């Protein structure tokens, strides 16, 4: 009865362990990565700052209104015989003023600055999208690295299983006196070697998973399974279509185009210095003053009273300024800004050429890797057939255990070559998608 209860408990724990494991897929990894990434959250805050700055007030279109107030108290002791006021007296004042200033015309500077603020918002959004694009590339490659390591693990498990079967077969033969210690030691060594390789590969799978979890910002223990097998869709790449997408979607080109737009606005801004600036201003103020002499009035013999006075003032005016000559500084600034525009266009053309060359190289690599994969398929078919023939010949006593192990290693090498070819194709395709600016489904 006790054994039965223990058996039920073990089954229950195993069921909980299996239930606790969640499957990880590429769409799920991308979704988690985008949700948990801290840099994306920071970029969202930068976008909010840029949007808060994108106002007509910051561009200088609206008037400014200032309120000022002042309260002062002064006590003076004057012993100058020539002074009209002699002796000790007090003077105090309380005044306030409201002044407004409005730049009516600044050569079109306000609209240009507003356009610059708008582009700054777009620039922050582009920074976020660039970060998202790079994050997707990292998730894509880390996810497939896990599948790649798992596929290598499957190959090693198959090799270990074959070695164990050969060892069991050899032990059976020895029990009937049909084998020898040399062959048995060879197969025992093969099992040990394959077991060590398998343990190392299990560790490599865990390392790949941890790299992915780190990219996804998963904190603490994670227990995900990766049921997908490493495979590719044999698709033909249209280089002309890719170059068109690259010219429209590549984030490097988008960034350079945005910088060029800002510099074009900077040229316009420099030209506004050639035009006059006209502004209007108005103010209104009030003041209350107090005055008292600390002495007696010689006419009445009574102390002087505290005297009060007040004043109101208002003004309105306009001003214009136009720098007619500055020794050619403004013309030089405009010329420099126009030269910068030329530099921007050169940078864009250079980037287009560089990116086009990189795309050509990646596409060529992709085509070469397709050929390698095709050859790897043929190679593994031959290796499988060779292993079958070798096993038959070994059972017939025509070859030694060392020869069998050599053929087994050839099969292992062929299997790894195919897995490597598939993984290389996936990585190259991800680099192509990253370069052109859009990840294909």
């Amino acid at each position: 009865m006790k054994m039965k209860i223990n058996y039920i408990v073990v089954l229950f724990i195993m069921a909980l362990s299996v239930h606790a494991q969640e499957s990880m897929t590429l769409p799920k990894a991308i979704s988690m990565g985008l949700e948990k990434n801290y840099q994306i959250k920071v970029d969202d805050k930068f976008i909010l700052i840029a949007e808060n700055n994108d106002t007509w007030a910051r561009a200088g279109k609206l008037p400014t209104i200032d309120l000022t107030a002042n309260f002062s108290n002064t006590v003076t002791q004057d012993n100058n015989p020539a002074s009209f006021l002699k002796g000790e007296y007090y003077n105090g004042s309380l005044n306030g003023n409201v002044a407004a200033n409005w730049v009516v015309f600044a050569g079109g500077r306000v609209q240009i600055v507003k356009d610059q603020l708008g582009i700054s918002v777009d620039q922050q959004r582009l920074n976020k999208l660039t970060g998202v694009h790079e994050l997707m590339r990292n998730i894509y490659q880390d996810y497939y690295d896990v599948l790649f390591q798992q596929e290598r693990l499957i190959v090693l498990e198959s090799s270990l299983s074959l070695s164990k079967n050969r060892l069991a077969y050899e032990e059976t033969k020895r029990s009937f006196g049909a084998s020898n210690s040399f062959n048995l030691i060879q197969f025992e060594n093969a099992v040990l070697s394959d077991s060590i390789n398998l343990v190392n590969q299990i560790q490599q799978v865990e390392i790949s998973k941890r790299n992915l979890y780190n990219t996804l910002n998963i904190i603490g223990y994670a227990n995900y399974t990766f049921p997908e097998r490493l495979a590719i869709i044999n698709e033909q790449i249209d280089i002309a279509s890719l170059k068109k997408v690259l010219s429209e979607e590549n984030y490097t080109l988008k960034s350079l185009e945005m910088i060029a737009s800002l510099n074009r606005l900077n040229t316009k801004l420099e030209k506004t210095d050639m035009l006059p600036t006209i502004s209007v201003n108005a103010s209104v103020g009030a003041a209350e003053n107090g005055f008292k002499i600390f002495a007696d009035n010689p006419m009445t013999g009574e102390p002087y009273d505290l005297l009060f006075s007040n004043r109101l003032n208002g003004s309105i005016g306009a001003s214009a300024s136009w720098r007619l000559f500055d020794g050619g500084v403004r013309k030089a600034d405009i010329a420099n800004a126009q030269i910068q525009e030329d530099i921007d266009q050169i940078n864009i053309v250079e980037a287009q050429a560089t990116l086009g060359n990189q795309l050509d190289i990646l596409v060529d690599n992709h085509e070469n890797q397709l050929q390698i994969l095709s050859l790897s398929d043929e190679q593994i078919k031959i290796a499988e057939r060779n292993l079958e023939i070798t096993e038959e010949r070994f059972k017939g006593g025509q070859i030694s255990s060392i020869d069998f192990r050599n053929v087994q290693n050839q099969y292992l090498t062929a299997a790894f070559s195919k897995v490597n070819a598939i993984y290389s194709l996936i990585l190259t395709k991800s680099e192509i998608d990253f370069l052109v600016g859009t990840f294909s489904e």
Side-chain angles (χ1 to χ4, degrees), residues 32-192:
M32 293 177 64
L34 295 178
E35 180 183 355
K36 293 177 176 292
N37 186 264
Y38 296 114
Q39 187 57 50
I40 292 177
K41 299 180 188 297
V42 171
D43 289 338
D44 284 332
K45 299 300 182 182
F46 281 131
I47 292 173
L48 289 177
I49 292 174
E51 288 175 342
N52 290 338
N53 290 336
D54 185 20
T55 62
W56 283 108
R58 194 170 292 275
K61 184 176 184 179
L62 303 179
T64 58
I65 301 175
D66 297 315
L67 172 63
T68 58
N70 183 56
F71 178 57
S72 64
N73 295 275
T74 304
V75 176
T76 305
Q77 176 70 45
D78 193 345
N79 296 316
N80 185 2
S83 175
F84 176 74
L85 291 173
K86 291 184 294 184
E88 187 177 9
Y89 58 89
Y90 163 79
N91 186 27
S93 67
L94 174 65
N95 60 74
N97 187 71
V98 177
N101 186 69
W102 185 20
V103 178
V104 180
F105 179 75
R109 173 181 290 269
V110 172
Q111 182 62 57
I112 296 171
V113 173
K114 184 64 172 63
D115 291 341
Q116 286 180 326
L117 294 172
I119 291 180
S120 295
V121 175
D122 293 337
Q123 198 169 32
Q124 291 299 332
R125 290 172 179 164
L126 181 61
N127 289 341
K128 176 187 174 181
L129 292 175
T130 301
V132 169
H133 189 61
E134 185 170 352
L135 175 63
M136 288 183 63
R137 190 264 300 269
N138 294 339
I139 293 174
Y140 190 94
Q141 294 187 354
D142 287 348
Y143 174 82
Y144 277 105
D145 184 57
V146 175
L147 300 189
F148 169 63
Q149 300 299 340
Q150 287 189 161
E151 206 69 29
R152 289 175 61 90
L153 181 62
I154 292 172
V155 173
L156 290 172
E157 287 173 342
S158 175
S159 178
L160 177 59
S161 177
L162 179 60
S163 296
K164 286 181 176 180
N165 290 338
R166 289 301 91 220
L167 177 60
Y169 176 76
E170 199 66 22
E171 287 175 340
T172 303
K173 286 176 60 179
R174 185 183 181 185
S175 65
F176 289 100
S179 182
N180 55 61
S181 298
F182 178 78
N183 283 343
L184 193 62
I185 291 175
Q186 297 305 313
F187 284 113
E188 287 176 347
N189 184 65
V191 170
L192 287 174

Side-chain angles (χ1 to χ4, degrees), residues 153-361:
L153 181 62
I154 292 172
V155 173
L156 290 172
E157 287 173 342
S158 175
S159 178
L160 177 59
S161 177
L162 179 60
S163 296
K164 286 181 176 180
N165 290 338
R166 289 301 91 220
L167 177 60
Y169 176 76
E170 199 66 22
E171 287 175 340
T172 303
K173 286 176 60 179
R174 185 183 181 185
S175 65
F176 289 100
S179 182
N180 55 61
S181 298
F182 178 78
N183 283 343
L184 193 62
I185 291 175
Q186 297 305 313
F187 284 113
E188 287 176 347
N189 184 65
V191 170
L192 287 174
S193 178
D194 288 346
S195 297
I196 292 172
N197 292 336
L198 187 66
V199 172
N200 288 333
Q201 187 58 35
I202 290 173
Q203 180 66 24
Q204 193 59 51
V205 170
E206 289 304 313
I207 291 173
S208 296
K209 287 183 179 180
R210 290 298 167 188
N211 289 337
L212 175 62
Y213 298 156
N214 184 61
T215 301
L216 300 182
N217 283 327
I218 296 176
I219 300 174
Y221 177 75
N223 189 23
Y224 290 98
T225 60
F226 293 75
E228 186 180 356
R229 293 291 300 273
L230 190 68
I232 63 166
I233 299 176
N234 194 356
E235 58 179 321
Q236 296 296 323
I237 292 181
D238 186 351
I239 185 67
S241 297
L242 285 177
K243 287 189 174 182
K244 184 175 185 301
V245 175
L246 183 145
S247 65
E248 297 172 352
E249 301 295 337
N250 178 267
Y251 284 91
T252 299
L253 293 178
K254 286 182 179 181
S255 179
L256 290 174
E257 289 286 358
M258 193 163 292
I259 292 173
S261 297
L262 284 171
N263 286 330
R264 284 193 292 270
L265 288 175
N266 185 59
T267 301
K268 293 181 179 179
L269 199 62
E270 294 291 348
K271 290 181 178 179
T272 61
D273 288 341
M274 304 292 291
L275 301 175
T277 299
I278 301 174
S279 62
V280 295
N281 55 79
S283 67
V284 60
E288 184 77 18
N289 296 314
F291 181 79
K292 178 178 175 59
I293 298 176
F294 296 108
D296 295 334
N297 189 334
M299 302 294 296
T300 63
E302 298 291 331
Y304 283 104
D305 294 330
L306 178 63
L307 303 177
F308 290 97
S309 65
N310 55 68
R311 180 174 71 251
L312 295 175
N313 63 76
S315 67
I316 186 170
S319 63
S321 62
W322 191 2
R323 181 171 295 177
L324 299 178
F325 180 72
D326 63 355
V329 174
R330 287 174 298 178
K331 288 184 178 180
D333 290 342
I334 293 172
N336 291 338
Q338 291 172 336
I339 292 172
Q340 183 60 54
E341 288 188 41
D342 295 336
I343 294 173
D344 292 338
Q345 294 306 309
I346 293 173
N347 289 337
I348 291 173
V349 172
E350 180 186 18
Q352 288 172 338
T354 301
L355 293 170
N357 289 335
Q358 291 176 358
L359 182 59
D360 288 336
I361 293 172

